Amino acid sequence: MQASQDRTDRIHRLDSEPFDLVVIGGGITGAGVALDAASRGLKTALIERNDFASGTSSKSTKLIHGGLRYLKNLEIGLVREVGQERAVVHKIAPHLVRPEKMLLPLVEGGSLGKLSTSMALWVYDFLADVEGEDKRVMLSREETLEMEPLLREDILKGGGFYAEYRTDDARLTIENVKTAIGKGALAVNYVEATGFVYDKEGRIEAVECRDRYGLRDFAISCKHVISSAGPWVDDLRKIDKSMNNKRLFLSKGVHIVVSRERLPLAHACYFDVADGRMLFAIPRLRCTYIGTTDTPYKGNPNAIPVYREDVEYLLDATNAIFPTVDLTLEDVESSWAGVRPLIFEEGKSAGEMSRKDEIFESDSGLLSIAGGKLTGYRKMAERVVDRLGKQLHGEGAELGDTTTRKIVLSGGPFRDFDEVLRYEEEMAGKLAEASLASDRAAYLVANYGRQTPQIIELARIRSEQTDVARLATAEADWCIRHELALYPIDWVERRSGRLYFDMPSIEPVLEDVLEVFAKAYGYSDEDRQRERQRVRDAIEWVSTFEPEKKEDGVQVD
């Protein structure tokens, strides 16, 4: 029951202490803002309506990349910034942000020719200050086939090979939250901002909240508010009565997951589709995932469905470039759908709209940040906290410069990625010593970095369980203690990523994991059944694709 008491104590602090800043929205941007603000000395609270990273920030393509296709729209500044940010984020969390060489096959009738691709990749490398072995290499048809034999031979003309980075977006968010907490921030999930309290001058002086776990209302006293609520930014602007002609446009992106046995790629691929779009196919441990679509979305951002036509589009495009694999609907193990909160631009399609971020400032002092890319989260946070600094300056206070480019995220430090790989080997040995599966080392280090030994030790002492359950329950226990996991679905989906990338592993350990949460939060039999069903509903939601719209998603109500 200690976990339950800890959360009660955090809610009490939110209710009783004054804060310099309240950050609304616990996705990657909000987590980055909380870390930036707390590291500059501001007393910061971070609240999230659901779980951290439960929205867009767990449903991206999971790449820290420079946005090669944005060169087509001549967004040079954006490509340069996020290209350079790749190296920064890799440096502060190399176990989470991993080098991923990308193969770009060039095909007859494709959107890119060999010369134009060579020039584009050269510019891409130049803007991102890429050096050494990571610089782009142009490949002949034969060299491209040697790298990826599954490619369609009759239309293949050659390829480009260049450097990107792969991550787990939810894990990156959570490690930013934990690092912010280490810098003094107070972060609580399942707390919804429902309104604002204003002083006589019309400035915000408190945020009205609803604790969705404890089911009670309270207010956080604060001097300033930053909204990083992603698709819900306009909802808060409406509550603040500060909507103007600028508004969000939601673009839906769908990804599907198949086993690596069915799509055994040696490299991540970025390939043409017949309709002029491009898709990614990215190997990740036991799976390969494919995406993304880019279509307007006007539905409920809390429950974004994956339709059968979304899946068939991705399967058809993949089979067209890798014709021998013959993927079918039955091969799809899991999926996810998210929305990108873009800044609306009249006359442009979803794919044409800029991925630049923008800051809105209302007369009440509310700062809202929207748009942007996962890769640029740190710079987005820096910009909006800098804008907050202008408000502070007007009040006679000064804010120091950001230092987040040098703050190592929890799970580190590692000098470089080679040290991460050596650490994986070391952890494989520790797992074997504890009579646990040594092949889980790569997964554990990718998720938890240098926090892995603590999880192994928790598993070692659970001798009464099966080996699989020992490790799963140790991991769940650790996430409750150190990562604010409140419900089993928090661990299944966002802490471990099993819902997307290791679906077969969930059911064999579900009862054991439920027991861990039951002990931590004092579940009744009814609570246990509700949480069991919530996990099973989530499995059905990501693995069943209806031709008609589903009414409800898997959320905590």
Side-chain angles (χ1 to χ4, degrees):
M1 297 286 286
Q2 182 62 43
S4 183
Q5 184 60 49
D6 287 346
R7 188 175 195 280
T8 299
D9 292 344
R10 288 194 297 274
I11 294 292
H12 177 71
R13 286 188 58 197
L14 289 177
D15 190 14
S16 61
E17 298 179 14
F19 290 85
D20 297 322
L21 171 67
V22 172
V23 181
I24 302 172
I28 187 61
T29 305
V33 170
L35 173 55
D36 191 291
S39 65
R40 298 201 212 188
L42 295 176
K43 186 176 180 181
T44 302
L46 171 66
I47 58 172
E48 161 57 44
R49 179 182 185 273
N50 292 306
D51 188 24
F52 301 116
S54 56
T56 301
S57 294
S58 58
K59 299 177 178 67
S60 72
T61 307
K62 306 181 190 297
L63 289 175
I64 299 295
H65 68 121
L68 177 62
R69 72 186 182 90
Y70 306 135
L71 282 177
K72 287 185 178 181
N73 298 339
L74 299 179
E75 295 186 86
I76 304 299
L78 176 63
V79 175
R80 181 176 182 81
E81 178 176 290
V82 295
Q84 293 175 342
E85 276 297 293
R86 294 181 310 176
V88 174
V89 183
H90 170 64
K91 187 173 183 179
I92 62 178
H95 65 293
L96 271 175
V97 180
R98 296 175 163 233
E100 182 75 61
K101 284 295 186 75
M102 192 75 63
L103 179 63
L104 176 60
L106 303 176
V107 299
E108 293 177 9
S111 60
L112 295 170
K114 197 159 190 175
L115 180 59
S116 61
T117 300
S118 179
M119 288 298 298
L121 291 177
W122 181 87
V123 172
Y124 194 57
D125 284 352
F126 173 77
L127 292 174
D129 295 329
V130 175
E131 297 179 349
E133 294 181 356
D134 281 343
K135 285 187 175 181
R136 68 95 171 91
V137 177
M138 297 306 297
L139 306 171
S140 68
R141 178 179 180 277
E142 291 71 24
E143 289 170 329
T144 306
L145 278 172
E146 185 177 351
M147 278 197 164
E148 208 56 75
L150 293 176
L151 285 166
R152 182 176 168 183
E153 296 185 36
D154 62 327
I155 62 172
L156 187 66
K157 298 192 298 183
F161 197 53
Y162 63 104
E164 295 285 19
Y165 295 90
R166 176 173 56 82
T167 192
D168 182 314
D169 46 8
R171 291 296 321 169
L172 185 63
T173 301
I174 289 160
E175 297 298 8
N176 267 275
V177 171
K178 289 158 59 183
T179 308
I181 292 171
K183 295 293 182 180
L186 177 61
V188 189
N189 47 358
Y190 295 98
V191 171
E192 180 178 8
T194 57
F196 302 108
V197 179
Y198 301 88
D199 63 18
K200 293 179 180 179
E201 284 73 42
R203 306 284 289 184
I204 295 174
E205 63 178 11
V207 178
E208 296 174 328
C209 299
R210 174 72 169 170
D211 176 8
R212 303 183 72 210
Y213 176 78
L215 300 180
R216 75 179 187 89
D217 299 317
F218 64 96
I220 308 173
S221 176
C222 61
K223 297 177 182 177
H224 300 277
V225 178
I226 292 176
S227 167
S228 56
W232 299 272
V233 157
D234 282 353
D235 293 345
L236 288 170
R237 294 170 70 205
K238 288 174 184 175
I239 291 173
D240 185 52
K241 296 181 173 56
S242 57
M243 280 294 293
N244 53 26
N245 60 332
K246 291 277 190 177
R247 62 180 175 85
L248 296 186
F249 175 91
L250 303 184
S251 171
K252 175 181 170 181
V254 172
H255 297 77
I256 58 174
V257 181
V258 300
S259 76
R260 201 161 177 180
E261 289 182 355
R262 290 294 292 116
L263 186 55
L265 298 182
H267 303 88
C269 293
Y270 184 40
F271 59 93
D272 277 284
V273 183
D275 63 7
R277 283 188 44 76
M278 297 191 76
L279 298 179
F280 292 99
I282 302 170
R284 177 192 174 105
L285 296 177
R286 61 170 296 277
C287 294
T288 300
Y289 64 98
I290 306 160
T292 175
T293 60
D294 198 353
T295 55
Y297 183 73
K298 296 182 180 180
N300 177 9
N302 287 310
I304 306 162
V306 175
Y307 299 135
R308 191 171 298 169
E309 63 181 350
D310 296 323
V311 178
E312 290 173 347
Y313 171 84
L314 295 172
L315 291 173
D316 290 346
T318 305
N319 287 332
I321 194 70
F322 306 110
T324 61
V325 300
D326 193 25
L327 294 173
T328 68
L329 201 66
E330 286 68 36
D331 291 312
V332 180
E333 292 187 356
S334 186
S335 68
W336 67 87
V339 288
R340 310 168 189 89
L342 309 177
I343 309 302
F344 178 75
E345 296 176 89
E346 192 70 49
K348 289 190 176 182
S349 69
E352 293 171 330
M353 288 189 192
S354 174
R355 268 53 178 174
K356 290 180 181 177
D357 57 276
E358 191 161 340
I359 298 170
F360 309 117
E361 183 170 4
S362 80
D363 292 339
S364 69
L366 174 67
L367 289 170
S368 303
I369 185 163
K373 289 169 53 64
L374 171 66
T375 308
Y377 84 88
R378 194 195 64 84
K379 288 296 291 185
M380 290 173 63
E382 178 182 329
R383 273 193 288 274
V384 74
V385 178
D386 281 346
R387 179 72 73 89
L388 174 61
K390 294 181 180 179
Q391 291 186 1
L392 292 170
H393 179 75
E395 298 166 3
E398 296 299 329
L399 186 65
D401 295 333
T402 185
T403 59
T404 53
R405 67 181 299 115
K406 297 180 180 179
I407 296 176
V408 174
L409 297 185
S410 59
F414 293 97
R415 287 190 299 272
D416 51 34
F417 188 61
D418 287 340
E419 185 175 5
V420 174
L421 295 178
R422 291 193 296 271
Y423 193 70
E424 286 181 2
E425 294 178 1
E426 181 184 341
M427 291 302 101
K430 286 190 175 295
L431 284 164
E433 290 172 7
S435 299
L436 296 164
S438 60
D439 61 359
R440 297 298 286 173
Y443 156 79
L444 288 169
V445 174
N447 271 19
Y448 305 102
R450 293 191 182 276
Q451 301 159 124
T452 299
Q454 299 175 53
I455 296 172
I456 294 175
E457 177 58 23
L458 285 173
R460 188 187 64 78
I461 62 178
R462 293 171 181 268
S463 57
E464 73 282 1
Q465 297 175 320
T466 66
D467 289 350
V468 172
R470 287 168 65 200
L471 199 51
T473 54
E475 192 183 345
D477 188 9
W478 194 87
C479 290
I480 291 170
R481 298 186 194 192
H482 301 283
E483 297 193 345
L484 306 176
L486 190 56
Y487 297 103
I489 190 62
D490 297 341
W491 178 76
V492 167
E493 182 174 357
R494 288 166 290 275
R495 303 305 185 282
S496 71
R498 290 177 186 235
L499 184 65
Y500 303 133
F501 299 113
D502 200 4
M503 181 81 81
S505 75
I506 298 174
E507 193 64 40
V509 301
L510 180 56
E511 293 306 317
D512 296 286
V513 169
L514 283 169
E515 180 64 22
V516 172
F517 277 86
K519 287 182 177 179
Y521 294 108
Y523 284 180
S524 64
D525 290 343
E526 182 180 0
D527 294 332
R528 192 188 297 254
Q529 175 55 30
R530 183 192 65 238
E531 297 310 318
R532 179 187 297 112
Q533 191 59 48
R534 181 169 290 151
V535 171
R536 289 176 175 162
D537 286 347
I539 291 171
E540 182 180 6
W541 177 255
V542 301
S543 60
T544 306
F545 315 110
E546 301 295 336
E548 306 247 343
K549 182 176 181 180
K550 298 178 182 179
E551 293 301 322
D552 296 303
V554 180
Q555 297 290 331
V556 176
D557 294 321

